[in-house]
Amino acid sequence: LVPVLETARTAKDMMALPPSRVAAIAIIHAIVWFSAVLGSAVSFVIIPTRTSSTLCISNSKHRRQPSVPRASSSLPDYGTTSVEIDEHRLAKIDKWRRKDLDGKSLVDQTMLELENDADFQRTSERIATVGEKQMSIEERTKRRRALDSLGVPSFTEFLVDNGAADAPVLYRRDPEVLQLNIGLYCNQACGHCHVESSPLRTKEMMTAEVASKCIELLKKSPTIHTLDITGGAPELNDSF
């Protein structure tokens, strides 16, 4: 509406405006009048100035917020979050809990996605043809060639280039981090997963016996300050 309104401080100014502009201003004033008559909660104020006239919309109780989309059930805070970051307060956790997912699993959905995934189907066919061992060898060769094309040296070459002997000897130090991969079973099958975890990896899981040995190792290693548990989805292992 701002481009429609022109300078209109005096009757002379109004007379100087084109008829179409005057008609537009009259229509806006009529809308304002009817809004007041109908008891609208929003008040419209036309403020004429020498350079331009501005239609200001204000509320008698609250400062006007920018127009935002109405929140949806799937995104409960979308369109309602204030830009005043310092005024934000965290809501209770129950507000965001997806109770409709309680007791349900992603496994069925993931299995369906795998059936429709072209890359996964090609990999499965390749494994059936040459076997997992040959697939691992091929993958290792491809990875090394990719690193060579980028000029990335091997680990031994890196040690030599950084001042180690021609035949560097590695000395074991006291361990500080214990990393445990307790199984490749996962309720998802992410394309970026470097161990290719999925709901299909049901047999490659750490046993209770091995888990007990890990606990024993941890007790006897006082220098270890960090325990890193990974998978797969660790919480889906019975020994987690």
Side-chain angles (χ1 to χ4, degrees):
L1 295 177
V2 173
V4 176
L5 301 176
E6 300 286 351
T7 302
R9 294 194 63 181
T10 66
K12 181 179 180 180
D13 292 332
M14 288 290 289
M15 293 175 63
L17 294 176
S20 60
R21 301 290 187 179
V22 176
I25 294 175
I27 292 173
I28 293 173
H29 277 282
I31 294 174
V32 172
W33 186 84
F34 279 112
S35 298
V37 171
L38 296 175
S40 173
V42 179
S43 60
F44 296 80
V45 182
I46 295 181
I47 306 175
T49 63
R50 176 60 63 180
T51 55
S52 66
S53 295
T54 305
L55 178 62
C56 299
I57 303 177
S58 62
N59 187 285
S60 57
K61 294 183 178 180
H62 304 286
R63 181 178 59 184
R64 179 174 182 263
Q65 296 294 325
S67 176
V68 292
R70 182 174 297 179
S72 63
S73 58
S74 60
L75 298 171
D77 63 338
Y78 179 72
T80 62
T81 303
S82 169
V83 296
E84 306 295 340
I85 304 300
D86 59 314
E87 298 178 1
H88 285 193
R89 297 294 181 270
L90 294 178
K92 292 182 179 180
I93 214 90
D94 288 343
K95 181 178 180 182
W96 308 111
R97 181 178 176 182
R98 289 289 303 277
K99 294 184 179 181
D100 58 310
L101 297 180
D102 285 357
K104 297 183 180 180
S105 172
L106 293 174
V107 172
D108 292 339
Q109 177 183 343
T110 301
M111 293 295 289
L112 181 60
E113 291 174 351
L114 287 176
E115 293 177 3
N116 299 321
D117 187 273
D119 289 337
F120 175 77
Q121 296 301 327
R122 283 193 294 267
T123 302
S124 298
E125 293 174 0
R126 185 63 177 164
I127 291 177
T129 302
V130 303
E132 293 183 357
K133 183 177 181 179
Q134 182 60 30
M135 281 284 291
S136 298
I137 295 175
E138 293 178 359
E139 178 66 24
R140 189 179 303 113
T141 301
K142 292 179 180 179
R143 186 181 300 114
R144 186 62 258 169
R145 288 175 178 172
L147 293 174
D148 289 341
S149 66
L150 296 173
V152 179
S154 66
F155 181 66
T156 301
E157 292 171 340
F158 176 82
L159 293 178
V160 173
D161 292 342
N162 285 271
D166 292 340
V169 178
L170 301 181
Y171 296 95
R172 185 174 64 180
R173 297 188 305 180
D174 291 333
E176 297 181 359
V177 178
L178 177 61
Q179 184 181 68
L180 302 178
N181 187 315
I182 66 174
L184 299 182
Y185 180 73
C186 185
N187 57 354
Q188 300 184 80
C190 302
H192 60 266
C193 180
H194 70 286
V195 294
E196 298 181 358
S197 297
S198 77
L200 300 175
R201 311 294 289 271
T202 56
K203 298 181 179 179
E204 299 154 293
M205 301 289 282
M206 181 181 289
T207 64
E209 180 182 2
V210 175
S212 298
K213 290 292 184 180
C214 292
I215 297 299
E216 182 179 350
L217 174 65
L218 186 60
K219 290 181 178 179
K220 295 181 178 180
S221 305
T223 58
I224 294 178
H225 54 71
T226 300
L227 176 63
D228 183 2
I229 303 178
T230 184
E235 66 276 12
L236 297 183
N237 188 311
D238 294 337
S239 302
F240 174 62

